[in-house]
Amino acid sequence: MAEFRYIAFLSYSHRDRQIAEWLHRELETYRVPKRMIGTATPLGPVPARLHPIFKDREELSAAGSLNAAIKNALGSASALIVVCSPASAASPWVNEEIRNFKQLNGDARVFAVIAGGEPWASRIPGQEEQECFPPAMRFVVAPDGTITDVPAEPIAADLRPEGDGKRVGKLKVVAGLIGVGLDELVRREAQRRQRRLRYAVAASLGGMTVTSGLAITAVVARDEARQQRNEAQLQRTQADGLVEFMLTDLRKKLEPVGRLDVMDTVGRRALAYYSRQDPTKLDPDALGRRARALQLVAEIRNLRGDSEGALAAFRQAAGTTRELLARDPNNGQRIFDHAQSVFWVGYIAWQRGDLKTGRQAFTEYLTQAQKLVKLDPGNDSWAAEIGYASQNLGIVELDDDRASQALREFDLTERVWAKIAERSADKREPTYFRAQAIAWKADARRELLDLSGALEERRREIQVYREMLIADGNDSKAKEGLAVAQYRLAQLQLETGSSRQAAATAGQSFETIRKLQTQDASNRLWQEIAIKAANIRTEALIIAREWAEARQANRWALDNATKLVRLDSTVTNWRTDCLLPARWMQIAISSGAKDQPAVRQQIAQFDRNFSWDPAGKASEEERFAWVMVDVLEGVHWRSAGENSKARESFARAASRLPTDHLNDPRLLAVASYLNRNQGIAGLPQVAPATASRVRYDVGALLNS
């Protein structure tokens, strides 16, 4: 099976550029629900991200055929997504891209996304111009590339409001790309957004549900009309009962089936009903229904991709729960309900990159959680809310490059879980959450370049996992956490100049996870951890100049990372965080052995197999891999006496370094090396006292 460079190729007419850019952005930034990641599907384990997706092609001239670059991209994509409209149906280039992809891969991985027009309108006399499917989409393509007259059955998502809508249409594409059912994805998406709310999101209605929803809508509308005729009290009671039924029993029991429009209509009608009434005069029950209706509308807006509308509705819901809380400030349930409302405001804001609003909302969430604990200090469920809130706030601070503030929040998170574990009969879950809080603290300290503090946090985290294993030697979650903490500790040891110690610690991580793999050899997450541990060990052995062991460890990591990527090329972090490090270290080993032909060949292979996206947000491992390949290429050219080419390579390495916020110890060490040894100016600088903490030995890594 070939290594695919792209998760998908996005084909579109230039007239549909706006919707294509929206779809491209939504897919590449989509975060798969955490509990689905790694789940086995017919396409392999579910990936964490859908990146990269090929989009940026210019319209081709009318006289030519597909150029080599486009054909190469089509051949390097595991799926084809076609934005379908009358414009794309008339585009010879869209049709040619579909035909070319089908010839290579068949029909199964071609996804139609309807943006306008009508499918199969070409069959209806007088409506041919409304056809949205290009010919190669409508018909089967033979192995020789001929478009036959055998009708195909395109897998389609309909972005139009009268169809699936943009949000569900996008989820249909996501479901197809990762190999899961739409219902399962929508349900998991809803569960992720609901998190700790006490009722699940009912995303849509179908069949009998539609009838019930429309009936409710009709009764509410009828009630409003009768209210206007001064028959208010009796009819309001009836409408309140129906709205309550819709917002509770009906919402909890019905499964999502992809028809968000009906539930949206019902929610809006319920809101219209309550909007005619003064909130300050509503009783608590009616206010509660109003808040739930607002939350329902907000959740549907968010599922449809309208995050701005969702945020506005969640803010209104928070206003309603705030009014309820003001009426009964010491009622724990009212405090809890309001805490959940402001959590959602913070979550949507954070999701949109509005860290200021996210911080404000999560701060209020934390304040409400603290009120709950003050009311009932012995309630562990309420105490856990402080742990959740402080960790959410810490993540926002870390995303905003405010590691010191994040560290304070993670410290609070750890104290909360430690107290719960101390008094809980079942200590496993709070103890595990405490270990995770310590891991976040280690990450924050590393970002502050407090490497000695980060080392200490990792050692404490490891000790917590060991305590869990004393209580239960078969606890696989504790073993998994231990393996991760060990290789992250090894990375810190490398960054502080202890290469041999790092090699030993990474070896322990490798042995820990390999023993765990004997329980389930198909667990992809454990395979990923084993590769990362082997990569860290290889890196340490190269710096220690233990070439034979380094080559053996690298060969294992490279073989297994390649196999993992071949299982499912859509899992981006398997390529960026597993395969890329193994590739650059292979080049480093050849460079250390002075095998210049191998260095040239391996660098050329790296350039063929991987692509650098200057506009994308590279992971830490991905960026470091590219920088190291450039530096190793520079060392190669310098040893060959090609000084101008060497300087070009070193300058290219420098251009890949972040310009605004460089806090990765290894990249800082490389920046210092390029400045001191290669005379590259304009690189990020740090204070001498800070730089002295970073002892990552770039010179030893380059065998120079």
Side-chain angles (χ1 to χ4, degrees):
M1 178 178 178
E3 286 188 13
F4 289 111
R5 192 173 184 178
Y6 303 105
I7 284 179
F9 183 110
L10 182 57
S11 178
Y12 61 97
S13 164
H14 74 280
R15 295 182 184 179
D16 299 320
R17 177 175 291 277
Q18 185 175 1
I19 193 68
E21 290 178 345
W22 170 84
L23 182 61
H24 182 264
R25 182 176 62 253
E26 287 291 308
L27 292 175
E28 283 210 330
T29 60
Y30 181 78
R31 292 187 296 274
V32 175
K34 186 175 181 181
R35 292 186 179 181
M36 295 187 75
I37 297 172
T39 302
T41 75
L43 301 178
V46 173
R49 294 191 305 165
L50 302 175
H51 174 85
I53 293 174
F54 183 90
K55 174 188 73 72
D56 292 321
R57 64 153 171 83
E58 297 295 329
E59 288 296 306
L60 304 177
S61 65
S65 60
L66 293 184
N67 62 31
I70 295 299
K71 286 187 176 180
N72 183 56
L74 283 165
S76 301
S78 67
L80 177 68
I81 303 168
V82 184
V83 177
C84 296
S85 70
S88 64
S91 168
W93 309 119
V94 172
N95 189 65
E96 184 64 9
E97 286 166 353
I98 300 169
R99 188 196 67 78
N100 193 284
F101 185 89
K102 282 188 172 184
Q103 183 182 3
L104 291 171
N105 303 290
D107 293 3
R109 298 287 290 162
V110 179
F111 302 99
V113 179
I114 301 172
E118 292 293 336
W120 304 109
S122 55
R123 297 175 175 176
I124 305 173
Q127 298 189 28
E128 293 85 354
E129 291 185 357
Q130 290 299 309
E131 177 62 65
C132 66
F133 288 158
M137 179 69 75
R138 300 197 302 270
F139 299 101
V140 172
V141 174
D144 64 358
T146 303
I147 300 176
T148 70
D149 58 359
V150 179
E153 298 181 3
I155 304 170
D158 192 344
L159 300 183
R160 298 172 301 174
E162 64 271 25
D164 299 312
K166 291 176 75 174
R167 184 64 179 186
V168 172
K170 181 194 77 174
L171 290 180
K172 279 189 175 182
V173 178
V174 172
L177 290 176
I178 66 178
V180 302
L182 175 63
D183 287 357
E184 174 68 8
L185 184 62
V186 172
R187 182 162 54 250
R188 292 298 183 97
E189 177 89 356
Q191 290 171 352
R192 178 174 70 177
R193 284 168 166 77
Q194 285 289 69
R195 295 187 66 174
R196 290 171 298 281
L197 295 180
R198 297 200 176 200
Y199 44 85
V201 175
S204 53
L205 299 174
M208 182 176 66
T209 304
V210 173
T211 305
S212 300
L214 293 176
I216 293 168
T217 303
V219 171
V220 173
R222 183 196 64 191
D223 184 81
E224 292 181 90
R226 291 183 179 179
Q227 184 182 19
Q228 292 173 2
R229 295 194 299 268
N230 297 320
E231 298 178 1
Q233 187 59 47
L234 176 62
Q235 305 306 326
R236 185 160 55 243
T237 300
Q238 291 176 347
D240 284 345
L242 285 166
V243 170
E244 179 67 17
F245 169 74
M246 183 268 291
L247 293 173
T248 54
D249 294 344
L250 198 59
R251 185 180 184 196
K252 288 179 181 179
K253 293 177 181 178
L254 295 172
E255 292 291 336
V257 293
R259 289 295 308 277
L260 299 179
D261 53 332
V262 177
M263 187 63 94
D264 189 27
T265 299
V266 174
R268 289 175 185 274
R269 295 298 295 174
L271 278 184
Y273 170 71
Y274 284 117
S275 69
R276 304 178 68 89
Q277 304 173 41
D278 184 350
T280 62
K281 296 180 180 179
L282 291 175
D283 60 46
D285 289 339
L287 271 178
R289 286 190 292 272
R290 183 177 186 271
R292 291 195 294 277
L294 279 162
Q295 288 172 344
L296 173 61
V297 169
E299 289 157 13
I300 292 170
R301 287 176 180 174
N302 194 39
L303 282 172
R304 285 183 160 178
D306 181 11
S307 60
E308 185 173 352
L311 182 59
F314 276 128
R315 280 175 170 159
Q316 291 182 55
T320 300
T321 53
R322 186 178 289 108
E323 170 66 23
L324 281 167
L325 182 58
R327 296 184 186 185
D328 193 358
N330 295 318
N331 185 314
Q333 189 59 48
R334 299 302 186 203
I335 297 172
F336 179 85
D337 290 343
H338 185 54
Q340 306 314 301
S341 290
V342 296
F343 159 76
W344 274 110
V345 171
Y347 176 81
I348 297 296
W350 170 77
Q351 189 182 49
R352 299 177 71 210
D354 182 359
L355 299 182
K356 180 180 179 181
T357 301
R359 181 182 296 108
Q360 291 171 344
F362 286 145
T363 299
E364 185 177 358
Y365 176 27
L366 179 59
T367 299
Q368 299 302 328
Q370 290 168 334
K371 288 181 182 178
L372 285 172
V373 172
K374 188 175 181 180
L375 279 177
D376 187 357
N379 188 326
D380 285 347
S381 295
W382 286 0
E385 288 296 309
I386 293 182
Y388 299 136
S390 57
Q391 182 160 302
N392 289 339
L393 192 53
I395 292 170
V396 168
E397 301 291 13
L398 207 56
D399 283 354
D400 202 21
D401 296 329
R402 291 157 56 106
S404 295
Q405 294 90 329
L407 187 59
R408 287 196 290 269
E409 297 303 333
F410 295 141
D411 188 57
L412 173 59
T413 305
E414 184 196 354
R415 293 200 305 271
V416 166
W417 290 115
K419 287 181 180 178
I420 294 176
E422 183 179 341
R423 66 192 181 207
S424 175
D426 184 0
K427 301 182 182 300
R428 180 185 180 276
E429 184 173 284
T431 301
Y432 178 77
F433 283 142
R434 179 187 167 220
Q436 292 295 294
I438 297 171
W440 278 112
K441 290 173 69 174
D443 286 345
R445 291 192 187 279
R446 182 174 182 268
E447 187 163 319
L448 290 167
L449 297 178
D450 175 13
L451 301 187
S452 61
L455 280 164
E456 180 57 30
E457 299 291 6
R458 287 295 176 189
R459 292 188 182 105
R460 290 202 309 117
E461 181 192 3
I462 287 171
Q463 183 57 34
V464 174
Y465 293 129
R466 293 197 186 283
E467 291 170 1
M468 292 178 68
L469 290 170
I470 290 173
D472 180 3
N474 296 319
D475 191 333
S476 60
K477 199 68 177 173
K479 292 178 182 178
E480 175 189 297
L482 175 62
V484 173
Q486 285 172 327
Y487 81 68
R488 294 300 300 274
L489 174 63
Q491 182 181 45
L492 289 165
Q493 289 168 338
L494 261 185
E495 292 164 354
T496 52
S498 302
S499 58
R500 295 187 185 279
Q501 188 178 18
T505 305
Q508 292 171 1
S509 172
F510 185 76
E511 291 303 319
T512 299
I513 201 66
R514 291 290 283 167
K515 288 179 181 177
L516 193 55
Q517 283 184 285
T518 61
Q519 299 177 18
D520 182 3
S522 66
N523 188 308
R524 306 304 182 213
L525 175 60
W526 295 348
Q527 292 178 29
E528 178 182 337
I529 293 170
I531 294 166
K532 289 179 177 179
N535 278 333
I536 292 291
R537 184 167 179 266
T538 303
E539 191 176 348
L541 290 168
I542 292 172
I543 292 176
R545 306 196 180 191
E546 300 285 351
W547 298 110
E549 288 187 69
R551 185 172 287 105
Q552 182 180 7
N554 176 248
R555 187 177 295 116
W556 187 94
L558 191 56
D559 289 347
N560 284 274
T562 301
K563 290 175 183 177
L564 196 59
V565 169
R566 284 176 175 172
L567 281 173
D568 188 350
S569 63
T570 66
V571 185
T572 305
N573 67 308
W574 288 353
R575 292 173 60 84
T576 60
D577 294 1
C578 294
L579 186 56
L580 258 71
R583 287 291 189 199
W584 79 253
M585 281 183 265
Q586 180 189 38
I587 298 169
I589 291 169
S590 295
S591 180
K594 308 299 183 183
D595 187 350
Q596 300 307 326
V599 170
R600 287 194 299 273
Q601 180 184 4
Q602 290 160 3
I603 289 176
Q605 182 183 17
F606 187 93
D607 289 338
R608 286 195 305 271
N609 291 344
F610 305 106
S611 60
W612 171 260
D613 180 7
K617 187 176 181 181
S619 72
E620 183 178 293
E621 287 295 336
E622 184 177 13
R623 188 182 298 276
F624 186 67
W626 277 97
V627 168
M628 286 308 305
V629 170
D630 288 335
V631 172
L632 287 162
E633 185 179 48
V635 170
H636 166 74
W637 287 125
R638 186 179 60 191
S639 66
E642 300 278 0
N643 291 330
S644 61
K645 289 184 178 180
R647 188 166 182 80
E648 287 178 8
S649 297
F650 292 134
R652 188 165 56 251
S655 72
R656 300 194 202 275
L657 296 173
T659 56
D660 54 344
H661 189 70
L662 180 54
N663 53 13
D664 176 79
R666 295 182 301 172
L667 290 176
L668 275 172
V670 173
S672 178
Y673 170 86
L674 290 172
N675 181 257
R676 288 195 324 269
N677 296 39
Q678 308 305 330
I680 305 294
L683 293 169
Q685 300 294 315
V686 294
T690 301
S692 66
R693 304 173 193 165
V694 180
R695 298 177 182 174
Y696 186 77
D697 197 341
V698 178
L701 190 64
L702 300 172
N703 198 30
S704 63

